[in-house]
Amino acid sequence: MEIPACVCLRFFSFLWLLVGMLEGTESEQVIDCYGLKGKSFLLDVEGVKTEELRRFYWKLNYTQTILEYTLHNTHLDIFPQYKEKVMFYQKNFSLQILKLEESNRGIYTAITQDRHGKDKNIVFYRLIPQDSVIKPELKVKSASVSEERCNISATCTVGQDNSVSYRCQQTQCTEVGRDYTESDDLKIVVTVKNSSIVCNASNRVSNDSHSLALKDVCRNSEPHNAAGIIGVTAGTILTILIISILSIYMEI
Ligand SMILES: *[C@@H]1O[C@H](CO)[C@@H](O)[C@H](O)[C@H]1NC(C)=O
Ligand SMILES: *[C@@H]1O[C@H](CO)[C@@H](O)[C@H](O)[C@H]1NC(C)=O
Ligand SMILES: *[C@@H]1O[C@H](CO)[C@@H](O)[C@H](O)[C@H]1NC(C)=O
Ligand SMILES: *[C@@H]1O[C@H](CO)[C@@H](O)[C@H](O)[C@H]1NC(C)=O
Ligand SMILES: *[C@@H]1O[C@H](CO)[C@@H](O)[C@H](O)[C@H]1NC(C)=O
Ligand SMILES: *[C@@H]1O[C@H](CO)[C@@H](O)[C@H](O)[C@H]1NC(C)=O
């Protein structure tokens, strides 16, 4: 199963634990997590001492209990509305949210209860489900070639109204115009690699790309379409000519 943003998550939870230890207090910091809709998402827990533990809970939005796990008899109670939605790993207390959807948005809290009945918040996650990025579309406006060197002007568009223009010389690409606001929700980059010009669009949870082979883009010194049109036109004229000549002979 694909579990995105997991590494970043662990990094943050480690930081959080560190802060908690240094301050010697219970931190209530909420860690933002972005998950790809339709995929599962793992909420990890670290630094729990099992010896002291009596129960473990996962709660949603502070008041709704998702599950209750009792350690001494390994009894797990997942509340009915979450039975199909979550998986709980008893060995490390991680909670997996299955088939992430908009309605799973919320604050997820891991809570322990020790042998003396004292509850403690272990970690708070704000889970934000997101759509994958729209597939980018790369269009070459012009390409000029001489002595195996190729300069390309290209525009990459993502969705209706996000576009960026690049100029690439050999493998060096420079942005020359931008018609979108770059953010963690959308980044568009054009590069030349692996003998292709590639547009890569990414957001917090996914990335997608459109690439065109340099051997096709840099085929001739004329702008692409013009050359194509000339070729097609020449072909058509030739065909008409042959047909006319043939028909003249046939009539005779
Ligand atoms: C907890 O267990 C699950 C399932 O084996 C695993 O995917 C996850 O990485 C584990 N989490 C930690 C913090 O080790
Ligand atoms: C939890 O809170 C979030 C944000 O306040 C809300 O969008 C979501 O619907 C809540 N979820 C449940 C199950 O109450
Ligand atoms: C590519 O661009 C550079 C800089 O503008 C120019 O010096 C070079 O002649 C161009 N090459 C081709 C093949 O157009
Ligand atoms: C490079 O491009 C070729 C064909 O365009 C493709 O088959 C190959 O997987 C690519 N390699 C990498 C590392 O992207
Ligand atoms: C697109 O960009 C992302 C983020 O920089 C990167 O992880 C990914 O490998 C890139 N994809 C391609 C096909 O280059
Ligand atoms: C980019 O997408 C590929 C496959 O779609 C994925 O394996 C990779 O983890 C993604 N990279 C990022 C930074 O999202």
Side-chain angles (χ1 to χ4, degrees):
M1 243 178 285
E2 185 81 11
I3 301 159
C6 212
V7 175
C8 139
L9 241 171
R10 260 191 221 126
F11 173 70
F12 278 118
S13 62
F14 171 72
L15 257 184
W16 175 82
L17 278 171
L18 206 65
V19 170
M21 280 189 290
L22 289 176
E23 290 177 349
T25 55
E26 229 179 75
S27 172
E28 305 265 305
Q29 189 182 331
V30 178
I31 300 163
D32 284 344
C33 301
Y34 296 86
L36 179 56
K37 282 184 195 171
K39 298 281 182 188
S40 60
F41 196 90
L42 189 72
L43 297 174
D44 263 342
V45 180
E46 276 174 16
V48 173
K49 292 193 201 74
T50 323
E51 319 85 66
E52 294 284 303
L53 218 59
R54 185 179 133 87
R55 286 215 173 96
F56 195 96
Y57 305 93
W58 274 103
K59 289 198 178 189
L60 174 55
N61 289 351
Y62 306 108
T63 51
Q64 177 69 53
T65 304
I66 297 169
L67 63 84
E68 181 182 306
Y69 175 54
T70 308
L71 276 87
H72 75 89
N73 59 0
T74 64
H75 180 75
L76 176 64
D77 247 339
I78 302 183
F79 285 85
Q81 65 268 45
Y82 302 107
K83 277 231 158 70
E84 308 288 318
K85 184 40 80 179
V86 304
M87 263 169 67
F88 179 66
Y89 297 107
Q90 303 186 2
K91 66 172 163 55
N92 65 16
F93 313 114
S94 291
L95 182 74
Q96 185 150 27
I97 318 288
L98 305 172
K99 285 194 81 170
L100 196 60
E101 51 200 334
E102 191 53 46
S103 59
N104 303 137
R105 179 185 287 266
I107 311 278
Y108 290 75
T109 316
I111 301 163
T112 56
Q113 187 175 85
D114 70 12
R115 285 191 311 223
H116 312 289
K118 187 174 188 302
D119 285 359
K120 185 181 176 191
N121 297 324
I122 299 299
V123 64
F124 295 91
Y125 292 117
R126 180 184 290 110
L127 183 54
I128 303 151
Q130 291 204 320
D131 290 310
S132 57
V133 75
I134 298 169
K135 191 171 174 62
E137 197 189 343
L138 180 64
K139 282 212 176 90
V140 170
K141 287 192 292 194
S142 68
S144 61
V145 193
S146 73
E147 294 155 8
E148 301 290 295
R149 290 174 171 271
C150 179
N151 289 350
I152 306 167
S153 282
T155 299
C156 185
T157 310
V158 177
Q160 290 293 309
D161 35 36
N162 303 297
S163 74
V164 57
S165 297
Y166 270 78
R167 204 176 144 68
C168 301
Q169 290 176 39
Q170 300 297 95
T171 56
Q172 290 298 110
C173 292
T174 328
E175 189 181 305
V176 291
R178 182 185 286 196
D179 199 7
Y180 85 108
T181 314
E182 187 178 286
S183 70
D184 287 338
D185 289 319
L186 183 62
K187 278 196 178 71
I188 312 173
V189 177
V190 174
T191 51
V192 167
K193 61 179 172 195
N194 189 25
S195 305
S196 296
I197 177 165
V198 185
C199 177
N200 183 346
S202 56
N203 65 10
R204 285 188 173 94
V205 295
S206 71
N207 66 81
D208 205 342
S209 64
H210 183 196
S211 65
L212 301 168
L214 288 184
K215 67 175 169 49
D216 296 333
V217 173
C218 300
R219 212 162 25 196
N220 44 47
S221 54
E222 293 298 315
H224 232 53
N225 292 342
I229 290 166
I230 290 167
V232 169
T233 315
T236 313
I237 291 171
L238 201 66
T239 313
I240 292 172
L241 210 67
I242 291 170
I243 291 175
S244 335
I245 291 168
L246 276 180
S247 55
I248 290 167
Y249 273 103
M250 301 280 235
E251 272 166 30
I252 295 169

